[in-house]
Amino acid sequence: MGTVSRWPGFFAEARDRGYNMLHWTPLQERGESDSPYSIADQLRYEPSMFDDPSTISSDGGHASMEKILRTAETEYGLLSLTDVVLNHTANNSAWLVEHP
């Protein structure tokens, strides 16, 4: 879907097709395989989803993601459901070093 600035177009399409919920793959920061099911940092959102990853605040992108998902709900009537698969940890995750 590209960066979050493009998502409202997809929200409109989903709404117009009669959907009322979006089911997301994991949105956390991806590991070196670049798979959403291989998470490098379970507490940060994937930087490539943002137009300028350097602007992601120290909250790991939580405020930005909350804003876009709230837009999906309030402006397009779409709830969100996200896969959370914390045990799918990337081989380059700091969690593996901290919790062997």
Side-chain angles (χ1 to χ4, degrees), residues 22-28 36-37 39 80-86:
L22 301 169
H23 183 176
W24 302 92
T25 60
L27 298 171
Q28 289 100 338
Y37 292 96
I39 300 170
S80 293
L81 171 73
T82 306
D83 276 351
V84 177
V85 191
L86 299 178

Side-chain angles (χ1 to χ4, degrees), residues 19-39:
Y19 289 95
N20 62 3
M21 181 175 278
L22 301 169
H23 183 176
W24 302 92
T25 60
L27 298 171
Q28 289 100 338
E29 185 174 345
R30 298 174 184 173
E32 62 188 12
S33 72
D34 198 32
S35 167
Y37 292 96
S38 180
I39 300 170

Side-chain angles (χ1 to χ4, degrees), residues 1-57:
M1 290 178 40
T3 58
V4 295
S5 65
R6 295 182 54 206
W7 291 8
F10 294 102
F11 297 161
E13 182 179 349
R15 177 204 57 212
D16 294 346
R17 290 176 182 251
Y19 289 95
N20 62 3
M21 181 175 278
L22 301 169
H23 183 176
W24 302 92
T25 60
L27 298 171
Q28 289 100 338
E29 185 174 345
R30 298 174 184 173
E32 62 188 12
S33 72
D34 198 32
S35 167
Y37 292 96
S38 180
I39 300 170
D41 189 336
Q42 289 80 352
L43 302 178
R44 294 183 56 81
Y45 286 101
E46 171 55 38
S48 68
M49 293 188 301
F50 299 95
D51 295 304
D52 183 358
S54 68
T55 63
I56 297 172
S57 64

Side-chain angles (χ1 to χ4, degrees), residues 49-92:
M49 293 188 301
F50 299 95
D51 295 304
D52 183 358
S54 68
T55 63
I56 297 172
S57 64
S58 61
D59 74 351
H62 291 264
S64 298
M65 192 57 64
E66 183 177 334
K67 181 179 177 183
I68 193 68
L69 295 179
R70 187 172 314 285
T71 297
E73 183 177 1
T74 60
E75 294 183 29
Y76 298 91
L78 298 167
L79 299 173
S80 293
L81 171 73
T82 306
D83 276 351
V84 177
V85 191
L86 299 178
N87 64 323
H88 287 212
T89 302
N91 63 338
N92 63 317

